[in-house]
Amino acid sequence: MERFQVRTDLALEARESFEEDDVEIRGVSIDESYDEERDIRVTKVCIETENGAKAMGKPVGTYITLEAPGLSEPDEGYHREVSEKLAEYLRELLGTEEEKSVLVVGLGNRDVTPDALGPETVGNLLITRHVVREYGKVALGKEKVHLVSGIVPGVMAQTGMETFEIIKGIIEETGPDVVVAIDALAARSSKRLNRTIQISDAGIYPGSGVGNHRNSLTQESLGIPIVAIGVPTVVDAATIIYDATGDRNAISPNLNTMFVTPKDIDETVKRLSFTISEALNIALA
């Protein structure tokens, strides 16, 4: 049977689709670890060559995926543990050994709950750039301080501007060292909805999860490194039908534009946004 093409923003799932067919991909390496105490599985997918990028349908870069089943539950202690684990990998990708000026971008539409992850996360961040610029490091009582600024650019239907245009203008005006972009993603498997966090240094394509292809936010396009953080909050309806029936013919063409999200997505997004903001606050402390 021809490979069923499904939409996923997770490099882990793209890699799994080849494992099902027992196919190895040249230029792609994978490393897995499991924190039994915290019940967090970490998978690092490194796409090292253009051949690997073409096969995977993802840009060259490092993709780190944290799978934490308890993320969908209102357990503050567990969410804190996930934040601490996520902060470890954020420090690695951001290179926080030296002071950095970090622009955090909350992508998405605050008025559409499954797409509100980015705006909600920025709302919970500890913003420091204005304090340090006004009063100096002494105001925070630290010798090393990362300058953190944040922006929620909205979506083009609200602003009339591409997200890229807004972010590029802010970078030219404020001169950050690195951008952190947070966005909601689409998953291949419903079991990963709201239970998985992916971070990557390969950039991000706003709206790609639901088929809206906007200008990319990458190091090449922005001129500075970018770290992307995403959580799958929706799954393609066609994928659910295919998983249940195994029959491509059962999938109506009308399903290609339909996405499914859990009924408690409003509370879940609030928890997840706080978990990610806490990870950033820890990593940039």
Side-chain angles (χ1 to χ4, degrees):
M1 177 183 292
E2 179 186 354
R3 180 187 296 276
F4 177 59
Q5 298 294 324
V6 296
R7 181 176 289 121
T8 178
D9 293 316
L10 299 177
L12 169 62
E13 291 187 330
R15 182 69 183 87
E16 286 176 343
S17 68
F18 288 93
E19 289 178 348
E20 292 172 0
D21 293 342
D22 195 26
V23 174
E24 288 296 324
I25 307 175
R26 295 178 63 182
V28 177
S29 64
I30 185 167
D31 180 68
E32 297 178 293
S33 62
Y34 178 60
D35 186 332
E36 187 172 354
E37 183 178 348
R38 294 172 172 173
D39 190 22
I40 301 174
R41 186 174 302 279
V42 179
T43 305
K44 181 183 289 188
V45 176
C46 295
I47 302 177
E48 301 160 346
T49 66
E50 290 301 329
N51 174 72
K54 184 177 180 180
M56 292 278 288
K58 307 287 180 189
V60 170
T62 300
Y63 300 80
I64 302 171
T65 305
L66 280 70
E67 296 179 87
L71 270 179
S72 60
E73 303 298 328
D75 184 337
E76 291 184 8
Y78 184 78
H79 278 254
R80 177 70 181 186
E81 292 179 343
V82 173
S83 294
E84 292 171 350
K85 192 75 171 179
L86 181 60
E88 294 176 17
Y89 292 103
L90 286 172
R91 290 192 192 103
E92 177 184 324
L93 292 185
L94 289 170
T96 55
E97 296 83 7
E98 300 179 357
E99 287 184 341
K100 291 285 179 70
S101 176
V102 182
L103 171 63
V104 182
V105 179
L107 298 171
N109 188 342
R110 193 188 298 274
D111 298 326
V112 179
T113 306
D115 199 31
L117 180 72
E120 291 284 346
T121 299
V122 171
N124 293 323
L125 278 179
L126 177 60
I127 302 296
T128 60
R129 181 177 181 270
H130 63 303
V131 176
V132 175
R133 284 168 59 87
E134 184 73 22
Y135 303 107
K137 299 178 186 178
V138 66
L140 298 176
K142 299 178 182 179
E143 293 184 1
K144 185 179 81 170
V145 176
H146 300 292
L147 303 186
V148 181
S149 56
I151 183 68
V152 177
V155 295
M156 191 163 62
Q158 297 170 321
T159 66
M161 295 176 283
E162 288 276 5
T163 300
F164 171 80
E165 295 173 326
I166 297 172
I167 303 308
K168 186 69 172 177
I170 292 173
I171 289 172
E172 292 174 355
E173 184 67 27
T174 65
D177 299 311
V178 61
V179 169
V180 175
I182 302 134
D183 200 9
L185 308 178
R188 159 69 175 81
S189 171
S190 58
K191 73 178 182 179
R192 289 198 170 98
L193 287 179
N194 305 321
R195 298 178 178 89
T196 304
I197 302 174
Q198 175 178 273
I199 60 176
S200 171
D201 61 4
I204 199 165
Y205 297 77
S208 63
V210 293
N212 296 329
H213 299 288
R214 308 256 66 92
N215 288 344
S216 61
L217 303 179
T218 63
Q219 182 166 351
E220 289 73 23
S221 65
L222 295 178
I224 60 174
I226 177 168
V227 172
I229 308 175
V231 174
T233 60
V234 297
V235 64
D236 193 336
T239 299
I240 297 177
I241 300 298
Y242 181 74
D243 285 345
T245 65
D247 183 5
R248 291 172 58 91
N249 296 323
I251 302 172
S252 167
N254 297 329
L255 290 176
N256 291 335
T257 58
M258 293 186 65
F259 294 84
V260 179
T261 193
K263 63 180 181 181
D264 60 346
I265 189 64
D266 50 349
E267 290 300 321
T268 302
V269 164
K270 287 181 181 179
R271 287 195 298 269
L272 289 170
S273 63
F274 186 76
T275 299
I276 294 172
S277 66
E278 279 297 284
L280 283 165
N281 288 339
I282 293 169
L284 299 173

